[in-house]
Amino acid sequence: MRTIGRLAALALAALVAASIAAATPAVGAPAPRPATNPAEIRADVDGNGLFDDLERRLAPKSAADKVDVIVQLRDPASAERVRGLERAVGSFDTKRRFTIVPAFAARASKRQIEALARDPRVAHVEEDSIATKANDAAQDAFGVAKARIDAPGLDGSADGNVASYSTADLVAAVIDTGIDANHLDLDEGKVLGFRDFVNNQSVPYDDDGHGTHVSATIAGEGDARPDRLYEGVAPGAGLVGVKVLDSNGSGSVSNIIAGINWVVTNRALYGIEAISMSLRIAGCSNGTDATSTAVNNAKAAGLVVIVAAGNEGPGTCTIGSPSAATGALTVGAMADFNSNGFTQAVFSSRGPTLDGRVKPDVSAPGVGITSALAGSGNGYANLDGTSMATPFVAGLTLLMLDQAPALTPQQVKDKIMQTAIDWARGGNNQTTGTSGADIDYGAGRLDAYAALQSAGAPISTAPLPPTHELREGTIASVGAQVDFALDVTDTTFPIGATLIIPAITGGSANSPDFDLYLFDPTGAQVAASEFTTRQEEVGFKPLRTGTYTLRVKSFRGTGGFFVDVSLPKGALHPRPGGATPLRVPLVPAFATCTSPNSSHVAPLAQPSCTPATQESPLLTTSTTGKGGGFARLDVLPGNVTTPADEADLRIGASATDVRKSSDGSDYAGKVILTTSLRITDRGNGFFSNESGTAQDLAFGIPVDCVATPDPTIGSGCSLNTTADTLVPGFAREGKRAIVSTFSMQLNDAGPDADIGSPAACPPACGTGDEQAFLRQGVFTP
């Protein structure tokens, strides 16, 4: 039954998908496993003016058959321009004209649609599809609960009165199925405005329930329970409901665009800072459709637009519309402690976009999320989906803007992505040893605490999460297996593991087909995942400490894989091992004490003209689970009277108990320390008209590993060197500069290989797999 059960579910999902092929399902209740049909192309790939999915649907129709479409023009969709097109192709039924995008919605015949596509005034024609709807433990796991403990006033209320809601508070517009303003978590005036594009009612309501669940995740008061267990991320914030989806959770694209249009027009009236959109049009999009364009324009108008990635994963190129919009903060879904550990939700849609961009942007809690149940008065519902992850990020956005109102939408997005904990590899996840934003997790697991720190929130001691480790491997024969030892030193957190087979691009495949198993220290199997999909995941709350075994086994086929693992490590590993954000003081690397602009004031915040050496806190991480060590950046005080090649940074690294993978003996030779630095003067030059500049530098430094005489202890690797941060033509002595490093890690060159002295590192740091075994991530806002 290992395969039949899943295939039956996939076949059923495929039949359902075929029956609503024109629909864009809501992101609220995904199937247990995704359909295997390839994603539809929601773009005009062949350049004939018709979106490819619309062209396919038009093919079997007669010339007189009518279809609802969105016609995007090259100029604003004025009434006269639309009439001019009618004169050219014949009269059609215009349903709505938009100002947020140069487009209009109409019902026209196949002949008229094809004629419109050929008209030089038309950019393209797309179908007016039917879109559909795509926090207790989650808030603990992703850092919100601890942040609110550390900063109780950080709740989204900005009008000075926590007992009432007004446009002066932080406000999110929820474009969805509506809001039940009578639920105890959403009453007392929290819903500041309401617009209904479905039934044109003026009083807030929700005849589906999806929008209410989403809204309470953002800003629910939690009043329906005495313990306020399920209050939202920003309970002091206000809400505006925009109903574009009907009682079945579906609605037209034209209604969604109209909803975005209305929010932008009324943003000042209601004090709206963000839009939450837990809906999507399935397919593979390049972000050129009208809804994505509307999202981009809403961002340009000053709104943070948070959009669900969709529930069509785990196959690649399943990012539809408007989640493919460049201006969207696109959110994928992860499980948390309540769902047996950090694993990526199998249903969460994956990139790349049709034009090759990385999406989603970040992954947030979207499995087993408890929030308000519409029509119940005080009840709750538990739902899965990227729909549930999106409002979590929307609530975080409001908290960040509560702390720092001047943040732009791009700055909010950047800070959320830069502080996320890196998961998986990088890019398309095809290359071993890489890191950074990727098509499965985006920038990684959301770290709300670090994001709020980045926005300047007065918080300092982050909650202790499980360790994250990336394991990679290759299976060379059918039936073979690869085992990974997981050293569990306490039982605080669940063990969670997500296996991805990058050779598979669709949702599933018969070959390669790898399965994932977890065994406890006694050898007993405690979890298994035996499906035919691109992803497998297991979770288990350990009952004892010791060495657990994670096994990847081939049921059919061969090839490479990687597994992201989160597990409790206790005091031996106090911080996760995957480039976790770590704040470094903003330090002037070069400074003078002469006028003008010479005092050490914010943002530099140094009290002395001769600052002492600034050393970052140490983060000890060992991604192999063995040994220890640190990577360190020291920023040195500069001196304008010294030569321009003075050393302004000191870089140190140390690793202990480094062994060969083949026989456990000492690893002697060289490894490489790869470092990425950003240098910025932040506009603190001698003259007020000098703009801020920034430059990123990536380089590698060979590190010697020396064998130890004790056969029970592996080699020691160490580095202590200095580097000049001055770049010709960029920063000169006398300007205050801020230096930050995004990541420092020690890489080997493959099993037991000495990297020698590479001439160009990075990116070519050796000839092997360049596995990282020591990482430190450092982040400065």
Side-chain angles (χ1 to χ4, degrees), residues 272-296:
I272 300 169
E273 283 87 13
I275 297 175
S276 180
M277 297 179 66
S278 290
L279 48 81
R280 56 79 176 92
I281 303 161
C284 185
S285 172
N286 61 4
T288 59
D289 59 278
T291 315
S292 294
T293 303
V295 165
N296 293 339

Side-chain angles (χ1 to χ4, degrees), residues 388-408:
M388 284 60 256
T390 300
F392 194 98
V393 177
L396 171 62
T397 294
L398 297 185
L399 295 184
M400 294 173 69
L401 292 172
D402 188 6
Q403 174 63 39
L407 289 176
T408 66

Side-chain angles (χ1 to χ4, degrees), residues 47 91 110 134 146 170 237 291 299 368 381 411 443 498 559 600-601 685 774:
S91 179
K110 173 182 177 179
K146 181 63 162 56
L170 281 298
T291 315
K299 179 195 174 190
Q411 287 172 327
T498 305
H600 292 279
V601 296
L774 180 70

Side-chain angles (χ1 to χ4, degrees), residues 238-286:
L239 297 167
V240 171
V242 184
K243 183 173 176 62
V244 298
L245 305 180
D246 62 18
S247 60
N248 296 314
S250 62
S252 67
V253 168
S254 54
N255 274 353
I256 296 171
I257 297 173
I260 299 171
N261 203 138
W262 184 88
V263 171
V264 172
T265 301
N266 292 278
R267 66 190 186 281
L269 177 64
Y270 294 106
I272 300 169
E273 283 87 13
I275 297 175
S276 180
M277 297 179 66
S278 290
L279 48 81
R280 56 79 176 92
I281 303 161
C284 185
S285 172
N286 61 4

Side-chain angles (χ1 to χ4, degrees), residues 531-552:
F531 297 106
T532 58
T533 44
R534 178 175 175 267
Q535 171 181 315
E536 308 276 350
E537 66 284 338
V538 295
F540 177 71
K541 183 69 166 63
L543 304 176
R544 67 182 77 194
T545 60
T547 300
Y548 286 70
T549 300
L550 186 68
R551 175 170 298 166
V552 180

Side-chain angles (χ1 to χ4, degrees), residues 394-626:
L396 171 62
T397 294
L398 297 185
L399 295 184
M400 294 173 69
L401 292 172
D402 188 6
Q403 174 63 39
L407 289 176
T408 66
Q410 187 61 46
Q411 287 172 327
V412 170
K413 181 177 179 179
D414 288 346
K415 287 181 181 296
I416 287 174
M417 294 181 66
Q418 289 166 358
T419 56
I421 299 173
D422 189 23
W423 230 252
R425 296 170 174 171
N428 64 5
N429 275 328
Q430 296 283 338
T431 305
T432 60
T434 56
S435 60
D438 64 86
I439 62 172
D440 287 278
Y441 296 87
R445 180 175 72 78
L446 176 72
D447 188 338
Y449 196 95
L452 289 167
Q453 276 187 317
S454 175
I459 54 181
S460 59
T461 305
L464 180 65
T467 297
H468 168 244
E469 299 177 358
L470 175 64
R471 305 298 183 93
E472 302 174 276
T474 300
I475 294 181
S477 60
V478 176
Q481 64 192 40
V482 177
D483 286 352
F484 299 101
L486 306 180
D487 296 326
V488 174
T489 57
D490 66 57
T491 58
T492 307
F493 302 115
I495 301 169
T498 305
L499 164 72
I500 290 179
I501 310 169
I504 301 175
T505 56
S508 65
N510 286 325
S511 182
D513 174 12
F514 300 161
D515 296 322
L516 188 62
Y517 304 91
L518 181 66
F519 300 89
D520 72 7
T522 70
Q525 180 178 305
V526 293
S529 180
E530 299 176 322
F531 297 106
T532 58
T533 44
R534 178 175 175 267
Q535 171 181 315
E536 308 276 350
E537 66 284 338
V538 295
F540 177 71
K541 183 69 166 63
L543 304 176
R544 67 182 77 194
T545 60
T547 300
Y548 286 70
T549 300
L550 186 68
R551 175 170 298 166
V552 180
K553 184 175 181 178
S554 169
F555 181 79
R556 187 180 292 108
T558 61
F561 64 87
F562 63 91
V563 188
D564 285 276
V565 185
S566 67
L567 70 159
K569 280 288 191 179
L572 294 178
H573 296 269
R575 299 295 296 272
T580 301
L582 176 67
R583 184 174 295 248
V584 173
L586 301 184
V587 177
F590 343 99
T592 67
C593 294
T594 58
S595 297
N597 194 27
S598 60
S599 61
H600 292 279
V601 296
L604 302 177
Q606 277 299 124
S608 170
C609 287
T610 56
T613 297
Q614 296 296 308
E615 179 177 305
S616 71
L618 301 185
L619 170 62
T620 299
T621 62
S622 174
T623 62
T624 63
K626 300 181 183 301

